Amino acid sequence: METEVIHLDSIQTFFLFIQNQILGMKWLNSLIKNLLTALNVDVDGRLGGSIQFFIYDVLKITILLCFLIFIISYIQSYFPPERSKKILGRFHGVGSYIISALLGTVTPFCSCSSIPLFIGFTSAGLPLGVTFSFLISSPMVDLGSLVLLMSIFGAKIAIAYVIVGLMIAVAGGALIEKLHMEKYVEEFIQSANHIDMDAPTLTRKDRFCFAREQVTETFKKVFPYILVGVGIGAAIHNWIPESWIQTILGSNNPFGVILATFVGIPMYADIFGTIPVAEALLAKGAQLGTILAFMMAVTTLSLPSMIMLKKAVKPKLLTLFIVICTTGIILVGYLFNVFHAFFI
């Protein structure tokens, strides 16, 4: 019995090491703190603490960003649009929504990047509910979000976040399909001529080059939002009183989840831009579900992506999509708040 306890402790220690030192890069934070201290920067003060937070989070997220984009893009090279359409076309019913949502996890990080693929899938004749399951899951849930969330919140929360995100995508797609909303897709998409082309065979070198190009392109596009997100996180972490955050987003405010969701909707960022804000809010006492609701709202329902989507679907379908996502996000936020003790 004692041997089993020692074995479990060893496993827990190993996973904590992965979370804190490999994904969380706590060693990097200590290194930056020592360097700033050597430069006579007071890291315990507000300004010095903000500088430490900013440098640490920018470096940490940038390293994870480049690594994850490369890995995910390499995987994505096996699922070009033509092949994805063929895969989705083989499934029917609930299975088609699940496969579509899962395919969304290996696509680009932001919602705006997913909309052209959604348009392509829809114009190719795939069921509308299936394409919407993809559209919901792609920005909300991806392999990058799983790893990044593990680095901040731990494995339980990260896995739960991904599961509920996939559930929202599947349920949303099924509901849209059930309501027969095809007539609310713009005519230019419905009448598009589709040429069925086989995806080119890529060599390992081709896939490596593709992944490297994706790292460069995505980094250029995402890095400004990382800087903004980390800047906001640093301000929250070191300048906004903890009592304010707890009053607005803590357990004493029953409308905290709703407030966080509607604050997140007009913003535009991806998982990399929201992570430092979420990290700072958690440290200040905001509830877990409230933070996750904010993250989901920002990544799924950003204003620029809704403007893009409006070009492809009519107002009634766009409104339904927003209502489904918003309702699902709010429900998830309250569920995480209720069961947050389980994830600690």
Side-chain angles (χ1 to χ4, degrees):
M1 190 70 177
E2 185 177 345
T3 305
E4 291 181 2
V5 172
I6 295 174
H7 181 64
L8 289 174
D9 287 342
S10 299
I11 294 175
Q12 185 177 13
T13 301
F14 173 76
F15 279 109
L16 284 175
F17 175 80
I18 295 294
Q19 178 184 334
N20 294 330
Q21 300 301 330
I22 304 299
L23 299 177
M25 299 185 193
K26 298 300 183 184
W27 58 269
L28 178 62
N29 194 29
S30 298
L31 177 62
I32 292 169
K33 180 178 181 179
N34 292 335
L35 290 174
L36 290 174
T37 301
L39 295 172
N40 295 321
V41 176
D42 181 14
V43 294
D44 294 323
R46 284 185 174 181
L47 181 59
S50 298
I51 293 172
Q52 180 186 351
F53 184 97
F54 186 85
I55 295 174
Y56 164 61
D57 260 37
V58 168
L59 290 177
K60 178 186 70 174
I61 294 174
T62 298
I63 292 170
L64 287 173
L65 168 71
C66 294
F67 176 77
L68 290 171
I69 290 175
F70 184 87
I71 298 298
I72 293 171
S73 298
Y74 195 91
I75 295 172
Q76 188 186 347
S77 68
Y78 288 93
F79 298 96
E82 295 81 5
R83 185 174 184 183
S84 299
K85 293 170 190 174
K86 289 182 179 180
I87 292 173
L88 292 174
R90 295 173 187 169
F91 295 89
H92 304 281
V94 176
S96 63
Y97 307 128
I98 295 174
I99 297 299
S100 179
L102 289 173
L103 275 177
T105 64
V106 292
T107 53
F109 299 106
C110 69
S111 51
C112 289
S113 302
S114 307
I115 290 174
L117 287 175
F118 159 77
I119 293 173
F121 290 158
T122 306
S123 63
L126 290 175
L128 189 62
V130 172
T131 60
F132 265 97
S133 287
F134 169 85
L135 183 62
I136 295 171
S137 73
S138 180
M140 184 183 292
V141 182
D142 56 57
L143 299 178
S145 67
L146 177 62
V147 176
L148 279 170
L149 286 167
M150 286 178 65
S151 72
I152 303 298
F153 300 109
K156 284 184 179 180
I157 295 174
I159 293 171
Y161 176 90
V162 170
I163 290 174
V164 297
L166 290 173
M167 289 173 62
I168 292 175
V170 171
L175 179 59
I176 288 174
E177 188 72 25
K178 189 75 174 177
L179 295 175
H180 302 289
M181 304 294 290
E182 290 80 5
K183 62 183 178 181
Y184 297 107
V185 176
E186 292 292 349
E187 294 180 4
F188 78 91
I189 295 177
Q190 295 179 0
S191 60
N193 294 321
H194 173 62
I195 301 175
D196 191 12
M197 299 175 61
D198 291 329
T201 303
L202 300 177
T203 64
R204 184 177 298 178
K205 182 179 179 181
D206 293 333
R207 298 186 194 283
F208 182 88
C209 292
F210 170 76
R212 186 177 60 191
E213 290 171 1
Q214 288 295 102
V215 169
T216 303
E217 292 176 8
T218 307
F219 176 78
K220 290 178 180 177
K221 181 172 61 176
V222 169
F223 190 65
Y225 299 105
I226 293 177
L227 295 178
V228 172
V230 175
I232 294 173
I236 293 172
H237 194 274
N238 294 281
W239 295 88
I240 297 181
E242 187 173 319
S243 58
W244 291 12
I245 301 296
Q246 290 180 348
T247 300
I248 298 171
L249 301 177
S251 58
N252 292 328
N253 184 2
F255 301 104
V257 170
I258 298 174
L259 177 63
T261 302
F262 282 98
V263 167
I265 288 176
M267 300 176 66
Y268 176 62
D270 51 31
I271 192 71
F272 294 98
T274 58
I275 281 289
V277 179
E279 184 180 10
L281 289 173
L282 185 69
K284 287 291 185 177
Q287 287 191 290
L288 175 62
T290 305
I291 295 170
L292 295 181
F294 169 78
M295 293 174 61
M296 285 183 165
V298 172
T299 55
T300 310
L301 295 172
S302 66
L303 187 60
S305 66
M306 294 302 99
I307 293 173
M308 288 180 63
L309 187 58
K310 187 177 182 296
K311 303 294 184 181
V313 300
K314 297 177 181 178
K316 190 169 184 178
L317 180 53
L318 178 63
T319 302
L320 177 62
F321 170 73
I322 294 173
V323 169
I324 289 173
C325 292
T326 302
T327 303
I329 290 169
I330 290 173
L331 289 175
V332 167
Y334 279 114
L335 284 173
F336 268 95
N337 281 347
V338 170
F339 296 105
H340 72 279
F342 173 78
F343 299 104
I344 298 176

